[in-house]
Amino acid sequence: MFYSLTPAPPDPILGLTEAFKKDPNPNKINLGVGVYKDAQGRTPVLASVKRAEERLLAAEQTKNYLPIEGDPAFGDATQALLFGKDHGVVRDRRAVTVQAPGGTGALRVAADFIASTLEAKTVWLSDPTWPNHPNVFQAAKLKTATYPYFDKPTNGVDFDGMMAALHQIPVGDVVVLHGCCHNPTGVDLTPAQWEVVAEELARRNLLPLVDFAYQGFADGLQEDARGLHILARHCPDLLIASSYSKNFGLYNERVGALTLVAGSPAAAETALSHIKRVVRANYSNPPAHGAAIVATVLNDGELKRLWEDEVRQMRDRINTMRHLFVETLQEKGVTQDFSFIARQRGMFSFSGLTPEQVKALRERYSIYAVSSGRISVAGMTEENMDYLCSAIAAVLNSPS
Ligand code: LMR
């Protein structure tokens, strides 16, 4: 039975964290996984989260099961965060939300729902995309394909290439879009480009699935939802997989949500009945604690203000690191242009480092990045910047 198995390859992102943990070098830096670090290199529990947990501990009465779709207060808070509580899709009850174990869990529920219920043949992913996207959809027995997204010469969006591909996608297929802070490139669509994409999706009856894992990390909680709002204006049907891992720092609590928007409340309720079957067959009903934290914070004015401020601080620190990184590389004599990194948004940038350079950084300096050249800017601190940029300068000068 098991003796004939050969090892599966390590995960390209979480496998790096495993290797990083084993590395004894005291100067090691993890720019692999998208996890926020503060100025001291720690991944803190947010103060708003701690305060909510204190309240929950005092008030908790039961560990009874949640409903299949999760905590209703969490679902309402999620819709209000995505759209604003007075948005038409919320007011008209055209949106339904199920709590899910993380953004990945939400994607997998979406994938199983699409595979079991819809006619879609293929899920279209940006090139490049988060390496786990194909795994999730293929695990649900869906076919995946890619549309052009990143334009290497300009370090921007290949918008003409993207639109040309969208014109060709068969009617009814699913198109995955990153709501903001595109992972791995850090390059987002402008509002004007979202409009063009949304019109095309609506005209061709393509189903948008928005992966929204970084709300609050680009320009602001509301600003980052602009693309989603534009889609909701044009497309009657919409899926959103959102995550609270990053903006609440709740990585290990696995809190995410799948929100479905339909043309009518009845269509939304019918779709929900299918999603509930998917959840029941996968994990029955979701874990309570993380979602209770999120609902407590978002439904309390004072805690919500504290949290919004904490999100702003995380965003500002990352943006400060983007500029410091570009400046420090220049100070170290690097002539290759990295200025685009200061213009990009979210935790990630596509650095342009080659797989060989990434390997040299890991082997010679214990600096871990994804082999595609994706770096997590959130792992940079004022303290590790000098070591990091000296190492990059050395590797660029002598690759082997
Ligand atoms: C990342 O891309 O680093 C994060 O989304 C974490 C993960 O699960 O890969």
Side-chain angles (χ1 to χ4, degrees), residues 127-162:
D127 179 19
T129 195
W130 183 47
N132 209 25
H133 272 153
N135 300 339
V136 169
F137 294 106
Q138 288 164 16
K141 305 278 184 276
L142 287 163
K143 266 194 1 213
T144 59
T146 59
Y147 59 86
Y149 185 79
F150 186 62
D151 183 47
K152 213 167 168 16
T154 58
N155 290 296
V157 176
D158 174 8
F159 194 62
D160 291 345
M162 177 177 179

Side-chain angles (χ1 to χ4, degrees), residues 107-119 140 142 207 238-239 258 260 267 270-276 278 282:
L107 285 168
R108 180 58 196 267
V109 172
D112 283 338
F113 165 68
I114 293 164
S116 65
T117 317
L118 305 184
E119 299 283 300
L142 287 163
L207 176 65
L238 187 57
L239 290 168
L258 176 64
L260 176 146
T270 303
L272 177 63
S273 69
H274 291 279
I275 294 176
K276 283 166 68 174
V278 166
N282 264 304

Side-chain angles (χ1 to χ4, degrees), residues 24-54:
N25 185 343
N27 295 322
K28 64 185 177 178
I29 305 174
N30 190 358
L31 304 184
V33 70
V35 168
Y36 178 78
K37 299 276 170 37
D38 66 12
Q40 286 72 44
R42 293 172 311 209
T43 303
V45 181
L46 300 188
S48 51
V49 167
K50 273 280 181 218
R51 297 253 301 267
E53 286 185 308
E54 283 160 13

Side-chain angles (χ1 to χ4, degrees), residues 11-17 31-35 101-111 123-139 144-147 149-150 176-187 209-214 241-243 245-246 251 254 347-350 370-372 374-376:
D11 182 80
I13 295 174
L14 299 185
L16 282 178
T17 305
L31 304 184
V33 70
V35 168
T104 308
L107 285 168
R108 180 58 196 267
V109 172
V123 175
W124 293 80
L125 304 168
S126 65
D127 179 19
T129 195
W130 183 47
N132 209 25
H133 272 153
N135 300 339
V136 169
F137 294 106
Q138 288 164 16
T144 59
T146 59
Y147 59 86
Y149 185 79
F150 186 62
V176 176
L177 298 154
H178 299 224
C180 68
C181 307
H182 182 269
N183 179 3
T185 65
V187 178
L209 194 179
V210 180
D211 185 346
F212 203 23
Y214 297 92
S242 58
S243 169
S245 297
K246 327 281 172 171
Y251 304 91
R254 312 306 298 135
M347 288 196 175
F348 306 115
S349 271
F350 234 23
V370 181
S371 63
S372 62
R374 186 191 87 167
I375 50 173
S376 171

Side-chain angles (χ1 to χ4, degrees), residues 206-370:
L206 302 172
L207 176 65
L209 194 179
V210 180
D211 185 346
F212 203 23
Y214 297 92
Q215 187 176 4
F217 279 84
D219 298 315
L221 287 159
Q222 272 131 45
E223 292 84 343
D224 293 356
R226 269 185 305 233
L228 178 63
H229 290 202
I230 293 169
L231 285 177
R233 199 152 20 83
H234 292 276
C235 305
D237 300 312
L238 187 57
L239 290 168
I240 307 127
S242 58
S243 169
Y244 292 102
S245 297
K246 327 281 172 171
N247 55 15
F248 270 81
L250 286 171
Y251 304 91
N252 67 9
E253 298 291 356
R254 312 306 298 135
V255 205
L258 176 64
T259 297
L260 176 146
V261 177
S264 71
E269 278 306 315
T270 303
L272 177 63
S273 69
H274 291 279
I275 294 176
K276 283 166 68 174
R277 279 169 60 87
V278 166
V279 170
R280 178 68 171 140
N282 264 304
Y283 51 88
S284 192
N285 49 72
H289 184 67
I293 296 169
V294 170
T296 303
V297 171
L298 293 183
N299 290 324
D300 179 280
E302 191 197 331
L303 288 185
K304 185 165 181 226
R305 275 190 297 281
L306 175 60
W307 169 70
E308 285 168 347
D309 198 49
E310 294 187 285
V311 175
R312 183 188 54 70
Q313 284 174 33
M314 291 193 278
R315 176 174 68 244
D316 287 352
R317 202 194 78 74
I318 294 175
N319 285 335
T320 305
M321 288 304 107
R322 287 185 175 278
H323 287 94
L324 187 63
F325 180 60
V326 174
E327 282 160 27
T328 313
L329 284 174
Q330 274 164 6
E331 277 166 33
K332 300 288 172 193
V334 170
T335 50
Q336 190 173 318
D337 181 23
F338 282 99
S339 60
F340 60 90
I341 290 183
R343 295 193 296 274
Q344 295 173 345
R345 282 291 172 270
M347 288 196 175
F348 306 115
S349 271
F350 234 23
S351 63
L353 293 169
T354 64
E356 294 72 34
Q357 289 164 340
V358 168
K359 185 161 175 271
L361 281 171
R362 185 171 66 242
E363 288 175 354
R364 284 158 50 187
Y365 299 97
S366 301
I367 294 170
Y368 291 73
V370 181

